[in-house]
Amino acid sequence: MKAKNAVTALAALAQHTRLAVYRLLVQQGPSGMAAGEIAAALGLPPATLSFHLKELAHAGLVRARQDGRFVFYSADFAAMNALLGYLSENCCAADAGPDTGCKPAAVCAPAKPARRVRKRRRTLQAA
């Protein structure tokens, strides 16, 4: 990703409503959401939502697809991962030790549900 593209994407996300729309679409996944569903979920008027979706699409962060009468929007995960990669490209380059704690995410993968771990109780035997 080039610096110009990163600045455009970050500028698009640097607004409260657009950030909320984008986070909702990321949460939804590749199937996306119809514009009306997005508007209802965030309580936005259609004209306002249209303006913000246009800005996100211009930045390359969302994609639109027509399905009958409806337009579905989804996050462009490749663009999101490219932006994250650009931001963390040289992470901890000066402190290149293995235990620096700097481990940027290489790709976006859907979160797995947390698994409950059962701990076995040890019984202490009195001596």
Side-chain angles (χ1 to χ4, degrees), residues 18-62:
R18 286 194 289 273
L19 183 59
V21 169
Y22 189 71
R23 287 181 52 128
L24 179 66
L25 291 175
V26 167
Q27 201 172 19
Q28 182 64 30
S31 62
M33 294 179 79
E37 292 175 321
I38 299 168
L42 298 175
L44 297 172
T48 300
L49 177 64
S50 178
F51 170 77
H52 291 301
L53 285 169
K54 177 186 67 81
E55 291 297 313
L56 290 168
H58 173 71
L61 295 171
V62 299

Side-chain angles (χ1 to χ4, degrees), residues 102-118:
C102 178
K103 296 179 183 176
V107 294
C108 172
K112 293 181 181 177
R115 293 178 58 192
R116 299 189 101 196
V117 177
R118 292 186 181 191

Side-chain angles (χ1 to χ4, degrees), residues 69-115:
R69 298 179 344 167
F70 301 99
V71 179
F72 285 81
Y73 291 89
S74 60
D76 185 329
F77 291 96
M80 180 184 74
N81 287 325
L83 178 60
L84 292 173
Y86 177 81
L87 292 173
S88 59
E89 183 176 22
N90 295 314
C91 182
C92 303
D95 294 332
D99 296 324
T100 60
C102 178
K103 296 179 183 176
V107 294
C108 172
K112 293 181 181 177
R115 293 178 58 192

